[in-house]
Amino acid sequence: MTSRAQDLADKIEAFNRDVINCVRDCTEADWVKTCAAEDWPLGVVARHLGDGHYRVGELARLIIKGEALPEWTMEEIVQMGNDHARQHAACTKEEVLSILEKNGRALTEYIATLSEDDLDARGTLALLGGDISAQQILEMLVLHSGGDHLKSMRATLAG
């Protein structure tokens, strides 16, 4: 473990705590409100974060191993998100909290084990601008894109 890896793990752990607290504060009526940015219910957006964005460790592992990343298009990403939203439209708060806790913990534990070389390993993903490091993909998909989802959830709660 390096201090850089631990710092990143700590940032993602703090982000996950924010998401969990947001979910815990939701009423039943809040849970089904539509988040404008995604056009999905708030509960589905939270589930998408925990089940989709928190699996970014799999992409980091591919980069670290020197394997090719999947070449998704934006249309494919949108389709996968919409498919997930339809499949999990009836997700419960308890289910989502469990996913956030389990997958958030697994991701931060994985990140904390990474070396400097692991964090600096590079791969190619055209959708994210081409050349990208393992650290960058973790930050981009969890803290930035995931952060946008959390902002959308909070905006929905604020009315």
Side-chain angles (χ1 to χ4, degrees), residues 36-55:
E38 298 83 1
D39 197 28
W40 304 334
L42 187 143
V44 172
V45 174
R47 191 183 195 292
H48 170 78
L49 264 170
D51 195 42
H53 288 260
Y54 289 6
R55 293 190 184 269

Side-chain angles (χ1 to χ4, degrees), residues 11-27:
K11 285 178 189 173
I12 291 176
E13 182 179 9
F15 172 78
N16 190 44
R17 277 194 310 272
D18 287 346
V19 175
I20 287 170
N21 288 336
C22 183
V23 167
R24 282 195 180 126
D25 291 343
C26 287
T27 65

Side-chain angles (χ1 to χ4, degrees), residues 18 22-23 26 29-31 33-42 45 49 146-159:
D18 287 346
C22 183
V23 167
C26 287
D30 292 334
W31 195 247
K33 287 180 181 175
T34 300
C35 292
E38 298 83 1
D39 197 28
W40 304 334
L42 187 143
V45 174
L49 264 170
D148 289 342
H149 287 306
L150 180 57
K151 286 177 192 170
S152 177
M153 291 166 57
R154 287 181 171 153
T156 301
L157 292 172

Side-chain angles (χ1 to χ4, degrees), residues 104-144:
R105 182 175 41 257
L107 179 59
T108 57
E109 287 174 356
Y110 168 69
I111 291 169
T113 68
L114 299 177
S115 69
E116 294 291 321
D117 287 343
D118 292 337
L119 291 170
D120 292 335
R122 302 199 75 79
T124 302
L125 187 59
L127 186 63
L128 295 179
D131 187 51
I132 189 166
S133 72
Q135 180 171 351
Q136 287 171 318
I137 202 165
L138 291 162
E139 292 171 338
M140 290 173 86
L141 294 182
V142 176
L143 300 175
H144 300 289

